[in-house]
Amino acid sequence: MTSPDEETGFELQGFPVHRGESDLRSREPVEILASQFVEELRQGRKPSIEIYARRYPRHAHTIRDSFPMLALLEQARSQNEAAAIRRNMPERFPFHRLGRCELLCEIGRGGMGVVFQGRESGGHIVAVKVLPWRVAVVPEWQRRFEAEARIAAGLRHRNIVPVYRFGQEHGYCYYVMQFVNGVGLDSIIERLRETEGVVYQDEIRRKEADQPSGFISSTELRALTTAADVEQADDSKRKRLTRTSWKSFTQIAIQTAQALRHAHSAGILHNDIKPANILLDASGRVWISDFGLSQPIDQRDTTVAQRLMGTLRYMAPERFLGTHDATSDLYSLGITLYELATLVNAWESTSEDKMVSMILEQSPPAPRQIQSDIPKGLETIILNCIARHPTDRYSCADDLLNDLLKFSHGQKVSSTKRSSFSGFFNSIRKRTES
């Protein structure tokens, strides 16, 4: 028979453990249970609110009413700590070289890293991502950063930026990856809002013009590197994208879905698919970057704060309720494709809380309500990706790819919706509490 402690997975640390409800009434107030619950969250465990309530029925109402707020407060505390650390990200670094790479200039900053353009001792141009704090200051982030490097290094696909190696020097962690001479899809979307059409090569050169001194441009790269070192475009085939390039939008989605299929088949979720993490080189080839929030599909022992790290606007509803799977990545791709096709953000709010409520409780307008020229098949694909209920989405990247290919060949695609949204929260909560 399962003992009470085995059933709940916790015991009251630092206090006598009492098996009876009568003992709890006088000696174990609900504040102690709340303290234990928060401590489990901080240890990265996944305490069940419902099991707490069943174990202590006298306090069940208070537990069910207050513990979800405790989880949100703990999430906010973790996020505030992370934000404070990020605000103190150094402007300059006390080194100009890591391993056999000379760091030429900084080319980008994100939530967990600074990216440099680098040159290896053999002359090859690479990108170097650095965890911008000494590992002794943020040991937990070091583990995450190294995990990101290992995950990305294990993925070999033509649409995923390859990682060559990683290491630690001067007290900083870093990894070396292929330098992709491209532009983010977020920049392409922003430019299409301003103009009728863009040329990838021109957008890349616009971005290069804003880079700091020391940056090696695409023109210089052609003289310094071989085709194996950097993707080069044939200027005689200048790839152009307009606001109604439905076939090109579909090709971008196909390449992204192929990359996700590869990652998912390796048991890895990306967890932060968004326009900024989809790079396009001058030939129109897609490169998925930044696996900083990736994790094994079957990993369940993460804290609430870790599960909710990412970019809110592209986050699937179930992630706010503590669960996710491959369809969560497909949702994020669908929101990205929605914004590319409509040039409108699916969700817009200055309040993070309001945005979360919108994602959980609403659906964005159908794409053709915003842009009537969008083909019906493409709209259906987008809606199949961004359905709020996970079972109404494509079940895997293969299913999404099949419909994208059907649409690209002029064949009909069908809606995947088969269940109402009612009961969604209950079904998710049952999964998180099991």
Side-chain angles (χ1 to χ4, degrees):
M1 180 179 294
T2 302
S3 72
D5 284 297
E6 289 171 339
E7 177 189 355
T8 60
F10 67 83
E11 63 180 17
L12 297 175
Q13 299 171 353
F15 294 87
V17 176
H18 302 287
R19 304 304 182 188
E21 174 66 13
S22 60
D23 290 334
L24 177 63
R25 291 192 192 103
S26 61
R27 303 186 65 179
E28 293 175 356
V30 72
E31 289 83 359
I32 297 176
L33 297 177
S35 177
Q36 180 67 36
F37 176 76
V38 170
E39 184 60 28
E40 287 192 73
L41 290 175
R42 292 180 180 178
Q43 291 173 356
R45 298 166 68 185
K46 189 180 179 184
S48 167
I49 295 173
E50 188 57 31
I51 289 179
Y52 266 87
R54 290 203 303 266
R55 173 87 184 276
Y56 299 103
R58 182 170 180 267
H59 301 283
H61 177 76
T62 302
I63 288 170
R64 291 190 178 104
D65 187 56
S66 62
F67 279 28
M69 182 59 66
L70 290 177
L72 290 175
L73 290 173
E74 179 59 22
Q75 170 202 336
R77 183 197 65 81
S78 298
Q79 290 178 336
N80 287 338
E81 286 182 358
I85 293 175
R86 291 190 179 103
R87 283 195 297 270
N88 292 316
M89 186 182 291
E91 289 296 323
R92 304 177 69 86
F93 294 87
F95 49 80
H96 300 284
R97 190 174 194 88
L98 288 172
R100 60 175 184 262
C101 288
E102 174 193 3
L103 304 182
L104 301 176
C105 66
E106 180 182 319
I107 57 177
R109 291 188 172 218
M112 265 194 67
V114 177
V115 181
F116 294 86
Q117 188 185 56
R119 177 165 43 206
E120 297 199 298
S121 52
H124 301 310
I125 303 301
V126 294
V128 183
K129 186 171 183 178
V130 181
L131 182 65
W133 303 276
R134 292 184 181 277
V135 295
V137 178
V138 285
E140 179 58 33
W141 288 21
Q142 174 198 356
R143 288 189 286 272
R144 283 189 54 209
F145 189 81
E146 291 179 347
E148 171 189 352
R150 288 190 180 92
I151 287 171
L155 297 174
R156 285 287 181 263
H157 188 272
R158 73 182 307 273
N159 298 117
I160 296 176
V161 178
V163 169
Y164 300 140
R165 63 185 180 277
F166 59 92
Q168 188 178 136
E169 192 169 345
H170 308 298
Y172 292 84
C173 287
Y174 70 94
Y175 64 80
V176 181
M177 54 188 165
Q178 179 173 326
F179 174 73
V180 177
N181 191 32
V183 61
L185 187 58
D186 58 329
S187 297
I188 294 293
I189 291 173
E190 191 60 39
R191 285 283 292 149
L192 285 175
R193 289 168 177 158
E194 301 170 352
T195 183
E196 290 293 329
V198 297
V199 175
Y200 294 142
Q201 184 65 42
D202 292 345
E203 296 308 309
I204 291 170
R205 286 174 176 156
R206 280 168 57 93
K207 187 189 76 171
E208 290 177 342
D210 294 331
Q211 294 294 350
S213 173
F215 180 82
I216 295 181
S217 68
S218 54
T219 302
E220 295 170 299
L221 281 171
R222 286 190 175 91
L224 293 173
T225 63
T226 66
D229 299 318
V230 61
E231 292 298 313
Q232 299 180 17
D234 182 350
D235 278 349
S236 66
K237 299 179 180 179
R238 289 165 56 83
K239 297 292 183 179
R240 179 177 174 81
L241 199 67
T242 70
R243 294 177 178 176
T244 57
S245 294
W246 313 123
K247 289 185 177 180
S248 296
F249 296 168
T250 305
Q251 288 303 311
I252 291 171
I254 286 173
Q255 293 181 70
T256 306
Q258 287 173 332
L260 288 177
R261 177 177 63 179
H262 177 76
H264 293 170
S265 68
I268 299 300
L269 297 176
H270 187 283
N271 276 340
D272 199 23
I273 290 295
K274 60 183 179 180
N277 286 337
I278 298 174
L279 303 178
L280 294 161
D281 67 19
S283 68
R285 178 169 165 181
V286 166
W287 298 84
I288 305 301
S289 67
D290 202 349
F291 276 77
L293 300 180
S294 59
Q295 68 182 83
I297 288 176
D298 59 358
Q299 182 173 315
R300 298 294 181 190
D301 58 343
T302 53
T303 65
V304 174
Q306 286 173 321
R307 289 196 300 268
L308 293 184
M309 290 186 71
T311 307
L312 286 182
R313 200 163 76 230
Y314 305 95
M315 200 175 290
E318 63 273 12
R319 290 192 61 196
F320 298 104
L321 299 174
T323 187
H324 54 203
D325 56 22
T327 67
S328 306
D329 272 351
L330 302 186
Y331 175 95
S332 301
L333 174 54
I335 294 293
T336 296
L337 190 56
Y338 181 104
E339 294 186 0
L340 177 61
T342 65
L343 301 181
V344 171
N345 292 336
W347 308 110
E348 193 68 73
S349 175
T350 56
S351 164
E352 289 188 354
D353 289 342
K354 185 176 180 181
M355 184 175 290
V356 171
S357 296
M358 292 167 64
I359 294 171
L360 286 172
E361 300 168 7
Q362 303 175 23
S363 295
R368 283 161 58 88
Q369 293 179 12
I370 300 171
Q371 167 57 279
S372 60
D373 292 338
I374 296 174
K376 180 63 177 176
L378 182 57
E379 179 187 61
T380 300
I381 289 171
I382 293 171
L383 293 176
N384 287 346
C385 287
I386 67 173
R388 281 186 288 167
H389 199 304
T391 60
D392 285 338
R393 301 179 203 144
Y394 294 109
S395 61
C396 61
D398 266 330
D399 290 348
L400 169 57
L401 276 169
N402 286 339
D403 269 2
L404 287 168
L405 291 171
K406 281 183 181 179
F407 172 72
S408 68
H409 290 94
Q411 300 175 21
K412 183 179 179 181
V413 297
S414 302
S415 172
T416 57
K417 186 171 184 179
R418 51 188 176 272
S419 64
S420 68
F421 195 70
S422 61
F424 170 65
F425 292 104
N426 288 336
S427 67
I428 292 298
R429 285 181 178 130
K430 287 179 181 177
R431 290 169 62 186
T432 61
E433 291 163 358
S434 61

